[in-house]
Amino acid sequence: MFENDEKTPAAPPEVLPATETPMTGRPKLKLKSTLENVKSLGNHGIPEMPGNIHYLTIIGHIEGHMVAPPQNKSTKYEHIIPQLIAVEENPKIKGLLTILNTVGGDVEAGLALAEMISSLTKPTVSIVLGGGHSIGVPLATASDYSFIVPTATMTIHPIRMNGLVIGVPQTFKYFQKMQERIIQFVTRTSKVSRETFIQLMNETDEIANDIGTILIGNEAVDIGLIDEVGGIKESMAKLQELINANNDQRVELAENPMNLQ
């Protein structure tokens, strides 16, 4: 007979999937994704990436077989390996841009990633922002072409290990072999000479944890470690140039299969 005076609580607004607007064809912002971006990234959204370039960011401490302390910002190498395989296998990806701002970390993990980047058949470009220290050096030289911004630094030093080690000559020989692996890789993937790199590695005049050398911007280019000083604009332009050259080569090989012989 009488209507219920109690107001029923309003149902929460339904978050609808993204749909395209008739005027622009762009997807509408979803409420849930917007809140997640604010929480995780500190902004309401990020620009869409072009589909033919993969952006690989290596920041903080490169975490390998041992888990880094929780207060460290780290890049886990088991997260990077599947991305590099996808870059090689995905026909839609035409190039890789590696963005580096790292203090170094696990030597074997970093060297493994560097070897994978170096062996990709797709064009690759790297850029050092902030720092490319320690094992970050071979990660910077692994690409087909490398850039460094004027204020970025790179630290070259001998192999070091924290914690307990076995105090026997075999341990020292193991360090020597691992260091030789890094020297061979860097001199193979850059223009720096072996003698210059070893000299910088064993320098004692700079305060780089007692031994080693800190290179800033142009200095890394002058010795041949990095190809060019430049930022995002230059690195993107170079990567697009390499992609175009690679596409032209593929077309030429398709038209003239005898060139394969």
Side-chain angles (χ1 to χ4, degrees), residues 61-68 74-79 104-110 112-113 135:
H61 179 92
I62 299 171
E63 185 180 285
H65 305 301
M66 303 296 292
V67 178
S74 63
T75 297
K76 301 178 184 293
Y77 86 120
E78 67 269 23
H79 294 174
D106 189 288
V107 173
E108 286 197 340
L113 297 178
I135 200 61

Side-chain angles (χ1 to χ4, degrees), residues 53-56 95-100 117 120 122-128 139-148 227 231-243:
I53 296 176
H54 183 75
Y55 300 91
L56 179 66
L96 171 70
L97 178 64
T98 304
I99 302 169
L100 290 161
I117 294 173
L120 290 173
K122 310 286 180 71
T124 57
V125 170
S126 65
I127 177 172
V128 180
L139 282 167
T141 64
S143 297
D144 298 329
Y145 203 88
S146 56
F147 287 90
I148 184 171
D227 292 312
I232 291 294
K233 177 179 66 176
E234 290 81 6
S235 60
M236 291 293 295
K238 184 63 179 181
L239 182 56
Q240 195 59 55
E241 175 188 328
L242 295 177
I243 291 173

Side-chain angles (χ1 to χ4, degrees), residues 123-183:
T124 57
V125 170
S126 65
I127 177 172
V128 180
L129 301 169
H133 305 295
S134 190
I135 200 61
V137 173
L139 282 167
T141 64
S143 297
D144 298 329
Y145 203 88
S146 56
F147 287 90
I148 184 171
V149 296
T151 57
T153 59
M154 303 182 76
T155 304
I156 302 171
H157 63 77
I159 293 292
R160 301 189 181 103
M161 181 175 289
N162 296 324
L164 224 49
V165 297
I166 302 174
V168 293
Q170 288 83 351
T171 300
F172 179 71
K173 290 181 180 178
Y174 173 73
F175 281 7
Q176 279 187 319
K177 289 182 178 180
M178 185 171 289
Q179 187 166 294
E180 181 62 27
R181 291 161 58 192
I182 294 175
I183 294 172

Side-chain angles (χ1 to χ4, degrees), residues 31-46:
L31 176 61
K32 184 176 181 181
S33 65
T34 302
L35 294 177
E36 287 296 324
N37 283 334
V38 172
K39 180 180 178 181
S40 303
L41 305 175
N43 59 35
H44 67 277
I46 56 177

Side-chain angles (χ1 to χ4, degrees), residues 156 158 198-206 208 210-213:
I156 302 171
I198 293 177
Q199 180 183 352
L200 294 172
M201 184 179 287
N202 296 323
E203 189 65 54
T204 57
D205 292 340
E206 298 188 26
D210 299 329
I211 186 170
T213 302

